């Protein structure tokens, strides 16, 4: 039922295409692998991300820093550090706090989903339109 109702936020595909031209993209998701991977394929964005890190495959959930570290480790030879990473999420605790534990820069996508505050946690940037990411990273 939920897969039939899935839809992307406006401009998602266009933004991902532009970002992918300049940066490696990963996704860290709190979900069961069988659902999350199917949903990413259903909306046509799975191919933008490598790696796809899904909490259900590891036995712990965001904000556990190990999930974010797993994504970084998958970049391997590129040697990407947390400080060179921009993590975009819609939940102040699970996404922003979680990524900041490793030293990642963060962007809160202020959507209708996710918690908007958590113990003195502040994102580096807040956006309401995904196209704003292109300006943040000069893409």
């Amino acid at each position: 039922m939920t897969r039939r109702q899935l839809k992307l936020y406006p401009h998602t595909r266009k933004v991902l295409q532009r970002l992918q031209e300049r940066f490696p993209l990963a996704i860290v998701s709190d979900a069961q692998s069988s659902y999350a991977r199917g949903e990413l394929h259903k909306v046509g964005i799975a191919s933008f991300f490598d790696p796809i890190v899904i909490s259900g495959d590891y036995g712990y959930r965001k904000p556990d820093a190990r999930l974010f570290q797993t994504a970084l480790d998958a970049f391997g030879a590129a040697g990407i550090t947390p400080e060179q990473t921009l993590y975009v999420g819609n939940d102040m605790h699970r996404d922003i706090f979680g990524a900041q534990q490793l030293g990642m820069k963060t962007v809160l996508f202020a959507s209708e989903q996710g918690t908007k505050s958590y113990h003195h946690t502040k994102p580096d940037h807040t956006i309401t339109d995904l196209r704003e990411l292109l300006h943040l990273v000069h893409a």
Side-chain angles (χ1 to χ4, degrees):
M1 179 70 172
T2 59
R3 283 193 186 169
R4 286 196 304 253
Q5 296 175 359
L6 281 177
K7 63 181 181 177
L8 296 172
Y9 288 109
H11 315 291
T12 299
R13 194 169 282 109
K14 177 183 174 184
V15 169
L16 289 173
Q17 286 170 339
R18 293 265 310 271
L19 291 173
Q20 187 183 44
E21 291 171 2
R22 296 197 44 214
F23 308 103
L25 303 177
I27 191 165
V28 178
S29 174
D30 269 344
Q32 293 300 315
S33 188
S34 59
Y35 294 108
R37 290 181 193 284
E39 290 170 350
L40 290 169
H41 285 285
K42 173 80 173 165
V43 295
I45 62 171
S47 63
F48 290 106
F49 303 103
D50 185 22
I52 297 173
V53 178
I54 300 176
S55 64
D57 293 339
Y58 295 93
Y60 39 85
R61 299 174 53 95
K62 295 186 290 185
D64 193 310
R66 293 176 291 181
L67 289 170
F68 300 94
Q69 187 63 55
T70 298
L72 283 175
D73 292 346
F75 288 133
I80 297 171
T81 66
E83 298 78 18
Q84 296 170 310
T85 304
L86 185 64
Y87 188 87
V88 180
N90 65 353
D91 189 281
M92 191 69 77
H93 177 230
R94 292 178 14 242
D95 294 318
I96 305 306
F97 173 76
Q100 287 178 347
Q101 290 181 94
L102 285 180
M104 293 178 172
K105 292 179 177 41
T106 57
V107 175
L108 177 67
F109 176 55
S111 69
E112 68 281 355
Q113 299 173 330
T115 61
K116 302 305 174 222
S117 65
Y118 182 74
H119 302 290
H120 309 294
T121 300
K122 295 195 182 299
D124 295 293
H125 304 278
T126 300
I127 62 171
T128 57
D129 183 313
L130 290 175
R131 293 175 295 185
E132 293 174 76
L133 279 174
L134 300 176
H135 299 289
L136 287 175
V137 299
H138 308 292

